[in-house]
């Protein structure tokens, strides 16, 4: 029904008001692989992959894949036997599968039948034959008890040849930034290859969801990646609401949109400043951080939290916004809009800045599609891919459909393009914020929500960085049995490896910042 | 260049005189600077280490250098190496995968050093606590002089905490 009628998979549309998600089961691993190949041919994407332990429910294990197609998302599951949980390697079709498959093996102990088998999230803090997300995986808590922490070696791909050498960076980086390891292979200053080793932020989040109630889950999901707390909270709320068969009011949906767009603007403001700074234009940092601080202070006034954590909850929102506050938001949009416009002219006309931005860190649309990239990075290659916006065959979920979101694109694919997309998205978000604030209907803020035993759902939200997904399944006891959050950084980190190739080492911070990816969001 | 300079002049100086202590005087921030100079005999240098945060705390630590708080203008500077640092400002929870790196950073910081644990997760493990992948509080891994709770702590709370940590060293 997505691709061809002869696929032996029946898809059903998930209920609710969230992004369109079709769900189905693949009869066999070959069918899954065929579906993946057909999706790839149709220029679709691999959005997320994870595993679950179904042995307590009388099964074995289960592999879950979410594919992005023009009309929406297809959530495909594949049952695996308890004795031999192996599935076909999808990394040959979608390179983005590589790290997700390795993480799934580390976490659940189900493996692909080929390809890269190096551990990803497991650095040696727990044994290779112990899988945290299996229901019988118990561990002792406390320092000095439990597993010995034995940091293991990692088999980086080596680059040979005369003059080639390696620069190891991290896990602790030079700035105020999350930890991760970058291995550069260089000749002189030119980068031949970058290989990332992540997982340093892995703090066992997925395990913590198991057995938690809806409220506790909401607190956790808002702390997967602090800069995207609204996007995660909304995706989780969508998933829980779909699983429990309830719908948030249109007022609640618009208040969520208000918060999500404020989150987008806050992050773009900060990053545009940091991008100026990384090109030795400290003026840019100071100016944009000033605007960001004004923005966050109004957040604190209106929502009671500078980053609006815990304000989007399953069932609706946990904060009311009075008309006076909406007026303050509209007023601030006008001020920030005019300031950003002036700064954009200064950025555009600054030769030194443009010299660093233009043709630096380039990826093209074909590569972006191959890597299943979403968000700013994808739109900066000209791809019209934004879950909030209409496109051929796709109608965005409320409240976006009625707002008529205009996706911002740029075809150059370089740092300059990602800067331009961010500038454009600030203007578009300011327009949306004004429209939302002016047209805010009355209605319930939060409807009561009760867990539905055995229910499951998937939420998809266009966060500031890209597409955030959260999958939820309740157990028979009404507690969360499995939650899988997926950050767009999974797909974007490999894109960064490509973007930096052939550029010089000193351009890396700039290229890195133009994406500004989440470590915590992907390390879980 | 002219438009740029015009923009700078039009923006003016935004740095606020922040009352760092409850009911404290407006000049509190200058007192902080004097205090740091008196105690350390020089400017304070900080190495920030993210040992497992959700990046929320980092957003607020970044904000310390915006023109409103202007931490660097007050002689408090973030440095790239722990070897150049007087203080480690650590966010958590400490993941098992970062435990070793944090210990190394701590050992590289010259004595006498101050360690400040930032955020609810840094203070006591927060929502993540201790588990198979998390050591929880910073104090579980390295000695901590002061804790700044909050999720995340506001820039003001961070400034107050940094001063309190320095004052604790006060002879």
């Amino acid at each position: 029904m997505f691709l061809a009628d002869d696929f032996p998979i029946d898809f059903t549309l998930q209920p609710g008001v969230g992004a369109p998600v079709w769900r189905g089961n693949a009869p066999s691993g070959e069918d899954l692989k065929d579906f993946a190949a057909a999706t790839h041919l149709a220029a679709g994407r691999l959005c997320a992959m994870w595993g679950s332990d179904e042995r307590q429910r009388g099964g074995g294990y289960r592999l879950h894949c979410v594919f992005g197609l023009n009309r929406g998302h297809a959530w495909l599951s594949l049952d695996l036997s308890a004795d031999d949980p192996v599935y076909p390697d999808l990394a040959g079709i979608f390179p983005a599968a590589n790290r997700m498959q390795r993480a799934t093996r580390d976490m659940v102990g189900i493996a692909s039948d080929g390809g890269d088998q190096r551990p990803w999230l497991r650095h040696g803090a727990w044994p290779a034959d112990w899988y945290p997300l299996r229901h019988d995986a118990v561990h002792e808590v406390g320092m000095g008890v439990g597993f010995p922490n034995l940091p293991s070696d990692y088999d980086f791909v080596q680059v040979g040849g005369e003059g080639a050498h390696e620069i190891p960076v991290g896990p602790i980086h030079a700035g105020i930034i999350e930890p991760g390891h970058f291995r550069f292979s260089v000749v002189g200053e030119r980068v031949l290859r970058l290989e990332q080793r992540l997982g340093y932020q892995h703090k066992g989040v997925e395990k913590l969801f198991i057995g938690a109630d809806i409220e506790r889950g909401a607190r956790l999901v808002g702390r997967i990646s602090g800069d995207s707390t609204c996007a995660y909270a909304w995706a989780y709320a969508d998933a829980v609401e779909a699983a429990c068969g309830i719908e948030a009011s249109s007022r609640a949906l618009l208040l969520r949109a208000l918060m999500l767009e404020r989150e987008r603007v806050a992050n773009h403001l900060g990053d545009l400043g940091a991008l100026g700074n990384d090109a030795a234009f400290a003026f840019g940092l100071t100016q944009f951080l000033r605007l960001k601080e004004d923005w966050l202070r109004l957040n604190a006034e209106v929502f009671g939290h500078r980053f609006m954590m815990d304000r989007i909850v399953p069932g609706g929102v946990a904060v009311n916004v009075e008309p006076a506050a909406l007026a303050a938001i509209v007023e601030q949009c006008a001020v920030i809009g005019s300031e950003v416009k002036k700064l954009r002219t200064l950025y555009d006309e600054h030769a030194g800045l443009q010299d660093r931005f233009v043709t630096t860190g380039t990826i093209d649309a074909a590569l972006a599609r191959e890597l299943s990239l979403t968000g700013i990075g994808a739109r900066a290659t000209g791809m019209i891919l934004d879950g909030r916006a209409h496109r051929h065959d796709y109608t965005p979920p409320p409240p976006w459909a009625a707002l008529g979101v205009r996706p911002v694109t740029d075809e150059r694919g370089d740092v300059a393009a990602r800067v331009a997309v961010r500038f454009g998205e600030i203007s578009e978000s300011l327009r949306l914020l004004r429209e939302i604030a002016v047209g805010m209907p009355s209605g319930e803020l939060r409807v009561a929500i009760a867990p539905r035993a055995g229910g499951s759902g998937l939420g998809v939200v266009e966060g500031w960085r890209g597409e955030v997904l959260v999958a939820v399944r309740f157990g028979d006891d009404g507690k969360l049995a499995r939650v899988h959050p997926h950050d767009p950084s999974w797909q974007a980190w490999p894109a960064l490896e490509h973007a930096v190739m052939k550029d010089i080492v000193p351009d890396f911070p700039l290229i890195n910042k133009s994406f500004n990816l989440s470590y915590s969001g992907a390390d879980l | 260049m002219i438009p740029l300079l015009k923009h700078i002049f039009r923006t003016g100086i935004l740095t606020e005189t922040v009352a760092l202590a409850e009911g404290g005087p407006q000049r509190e921030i200058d007192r902080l600077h004097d205090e740091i100079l008196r105690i350390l005999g020089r400017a304070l240098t900080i190495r920030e280490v993210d040992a497992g945060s959700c990046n929320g705390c980092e957003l607020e630590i970044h904000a310390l250098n915006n023109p409103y708080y202007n931490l660097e203008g007050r002689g408090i500077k973030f440095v790239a190496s722990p070897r150049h640092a007087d203080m480690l400002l650590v966010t958590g929870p400490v993941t098992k995968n970062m435990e070793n790196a944090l210990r190394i950073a701590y050992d590289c910081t010259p004595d006498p050093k101050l360690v400040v644990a930032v955020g609810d997760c840094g203070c006591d493990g927060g929502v993540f606590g201790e588990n198979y992948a998390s050591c929880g509080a910073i104090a579980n891994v390295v000695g901590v002089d002061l804790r700044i709770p909050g999720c995340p702590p506001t820039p003001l709370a961070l400034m107050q905490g940094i001063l309190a940590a320095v004052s604790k060293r006060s002879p």
Side-chain angles (χ1 to χ4, degrees):
Chain A
M1 89 137 240
F2 274 108
L3 303 159
D5 290 330
D6 53 359
F7 262 104
I9 301 168
D10 288 325
F11 281 101
T12 51
L13 183 63
Q14 172 176 289
V17 293
V21 174
W22 281 266
R23 302 181 49 176
N25 288 307
S28 72
E30 279 312 301
D31 292 319
L32 172 70
K33 199 171 176 177
D34 287 349
F35 189 84
T39 301
H40 182 258
L41 264 180
R45 296 169 291 123
L46 176 67
C47 304
M49 265 179 111
W50 70 98
S52 61
D53 178 359
E54 307 289 334
R55 289 174 300 158
Q56 274 182 318
R57 308 211 302 173
Y61 300 94
R62 192 172 262 199
L63 175 75
H64 305 267
C65 301
V66 177
F67 298 97
L69 286 143
N70 217 4
R71 292 175 56 191
H73 288 79
W75 174 3
L76 198 52
S77 303
L78 171 69
D79 283 317
L80 303 171
S81 76
D83 308 326
D84 185 26
V86 173
Y87 58 88
D89 175 27
L90 299 184
I93 301 167
F94 286 109
N98 175 302
R99 291 174 182 181
M100 297 187 228
Q101 290 180 171
R102 290 157 65 190
T104 303
R105 210 247 336 251
D106 289 347
M107 300 307 289
V108 193
I110 63 180
S112 62
D113 63 2
D116 196 342
Q117 299 289 335
R118 290 176 295 171
W120 183 245
L121 298 177
R122 190 180 65 80
H123 288 197
W126 65 90
D129 59 354
W130 186 84
Y131 304 104
L133 296 183
R134 290 190 176 181
H135 65 78
D136 48 6
V138 291
H139 59 91
E140 287 177 85
V141 169
M143 294 303 293
V145 302
F147 305 122
N149 192 359
L150 305 166
S152 55
D153 281 339
Y154 188 76
D155 198 8
F156 286 98
V157 173
Q158 303 239 312
V159 172
E162 199 180 335
H165 67 282
E166 288 187 349
I167 306 175
V169 179
I172 300 178
H173 296 152
I176 301 166
I177 187 169
E178 299 178 72
H181 185 93
F182 300 136
R183 186 67 59 96
F184 294 94
S185 296
V186 300
V187 165
E189 282 202 314
R190 200 159 294 278
V191 179
L192 299 176
R193 185 187 156 84
L194 161 64
E195 185 172 356
Q196 298 146 354
R197 187 199 186 190
L198 305 177
Y200 290 93
Q201 294 279 56
H202 178 70
K203 42 195 171 282
V205 182
E206 284 179 290
K207 179 97 175 162
L208 293 173
F209 278 111
I210 298 175
D213 59 19
I214 292 177
E215 301 282 327
R216 157 95 172 140
R219 278 191 67 76
L220 278 169
V221 90
R223 286 153 184 83
I224 301 279
S225 182
D227 54 25
S228 302
T229 180
C230 294
Y232 274 97
W234 192 349
Y236 172 76
D238 271 352
V240 169
E241 287 159 14
C244 302
I246 70 139
E247 288 179 8
S249 73
S250 48
R251 177 176 171 83
L253 291 177
L254 278 165
L255 286 171
R256 285 176 180 176
L258 195 72
M259 290 188 247
L260 188 75
E261 293 312 303
R262 288 193 67 84
E263 177 169 279
R264 189 182 320 276
V265 171
N267 282 292
H268 284 346
L269 288 173
D271 285 352
L272 284 170
L275 277 157
N277 200 47
D278 280 345
F281 191 48
F283 163 87
L285 182 69
T286 308
Q287 290 290 340
F288 276 106
L289 285 190
R290 162 175 83 90
L291 302 184
K292 184 177 180 183
E293 181 67 19
D294 289 340
W295 196 256
L296 297 181
R297 286 181 180 191
L298 188 62
N299 279 353
E301 258 176 60
V302 174
F303 303 98
H305 193 283
R306 282 161 59 91
F307 301 99
M308 302 166 289
M309 273 181 175
D310 308 319
R311 292 332 190 242
I312 296 176
V313 291
V317 293
V319 61
N320 193 18
V321 181
E322 303 293 346
L326 291 173
I329 286 174
V330 171
E331 194 183 322
Q332 189 187 46
C333 285
V335 174
I336 298 285
S338 113
E339 290 287 314
V340 170
K341 205 170 154 194
K342 286 179 206 143
L343 289 173
R344 181 169 196 175
T345 307
L346 289 169
Y347 266 43
D348 284 348
E349 290 176 358
H350 193 288
L353 204 55
Q354 293 303 318
D355 185 45
R356 293 289 308 277
F357 287 175
V358 177
T359 71
T360 305
T362 307
I363 48 170
D364 61 22
L367 180 65
R369 189 165 286 123
E370 200 61 28
L371 298 177
S372 298
L373 190 64
T374 68
I376 309 162
R379 289 192 288 276
T381 68
M383 281 169 72
I384 302 170
L385 183 65
D386 186 325
R388 301 169 300 157
H390 286 271
R391 58 175 187 266
H392 177 62
D393 260 3
Y394 173 81
T395 308
W400 308 115
L403 290 166
V405 178
R406 296 190 284 258
V408 180
T409 59
D410 189 295
E411 296 189 346
R412 292 172 289 174
D414 52 6
V415 171
R418 292 185 283 277
V419 167
V421 167
R422 286 165 181 277
F423 270 118
E425 290 191 357
I426 289 179
S427 327
E428 178 63 0
S429 290
L430 293 175
R431 184 185 74 80
L432 292 169
L433 285 167
R434 277 191 295 264
E435 208 154 300
I436 293 167
V438 168
M440 184 65 69
S442 57
E444 236 174 326
L445 289 176
R446 187 176 187 179
V447 294
I449 190 161
R452 180 181 284 174
S456 58
L458 176 71
V460 185
V461 168
E462 188 72 32
W464 71 269
R465 191 179 269 123
E467 182 182 86
V468 169
L469 299 97
V470 176
V472 162
R473 203 197 77 221
F474 287 96
D476 294 331
D477 57 357
K479 302 282 186 201
L480 293 166
R482 182 82 174 90
V483 174
H484 178 73
H486 180 94
D487 197 275
S489 303
W490 280 100
Q491 279 89 347
W493 279 116
L496 176 63
E497 287 184 344
H498 286 269
V500 73
M501 263 189 250
K502 297 197 192 78
D503 278 309
I504 57 174
V505 177
D507 275 332
F508 176 74
L510 188 66
I511 300 168
N512 190 25
K513 184 52 81 179
S514 71
F515 287 96
N516 192 11
L517 304 177
S518 176
Y519 299 73
S520 183
D523 289 351
L524 296 171
Chain B
M1 198 63 195
I2 300 289
L4 207 147
L5 290 172
K6 269 169 74 181
H7 202 98
I8 292 171
F9 284 123
R10 201 169 47 78
T11 307
I13 292 170
L14 299 168
T15 306
E16 295 170 332
T17 47
V18 188
L20 282 174
E22 202 65 42
Q26 280 287 297
R27 289 274 154 217
E28 191 71 10
I29 191 72
D30 298 333
R31 197 181 66 76
L32 162 64
H33 194 183
D34 294 346
E35 193 85 329
I36 288 169
L37 285 176
R38 188 176 64 79
I39 295 162
L40 298 169
R42 60 180 187 275
L44 177 73
T45 55
I46 302 174
R47 169 65 240 205
E48 198 268 351
V49 178
D50 179 343
S53 84
C54 76
N55 76 35
C57 290
E58 277 62 34
L59 296 175
E60 293 295 47
I61 295 171
H62 269 293
L64 288 174
N65 271 332
N66 77 34
Y68 289 99
Y69 305 106
N70 190 21
L71 206 62
E72 195 159 329
R74 288 157 170 160
I76 304 171
K77 191 171 180 242
F78 287 94
V79 292
S81 170
R83 293 185 202 280
H84 304 154
D86 303 305
M87 174 188 285
L88 289 181
L89 197 64
V90 191
T91 62
V94 185
T95 65
K96 295 260 162 118
N97 292 350
M98 277 301 288
E99 182 184 355
N100 193 35
L102 176 60
R103 284 189 207 281
I104 293 171
Y106 180 85
D107 289 342
C108 288
T109 311
D111 285 320
K113 55 194 158 202
L114 286 163
V115 178
V116 175
V118 174
D120 288 348
C121 301
C123 291
D124 62 9
V127 289
F128 306 106
E130 288 172 42
N131 64 49
Y132 76 93
S134 165
C135 303
I138 311 294
N140 287 341
V141 178
V142 296
V144 165
D145 296 282
L146 192 107
R147 293 173 173 80
I148 306 176
C151 187
T154 60
L156 195 58
L158 287 166
M159 288 177 85
Q160 287 166 336
I162 291 167
L163 171 65
V166 172
S167 305
K168 266 179 89 172
R169 264 297 150 75
S170 179

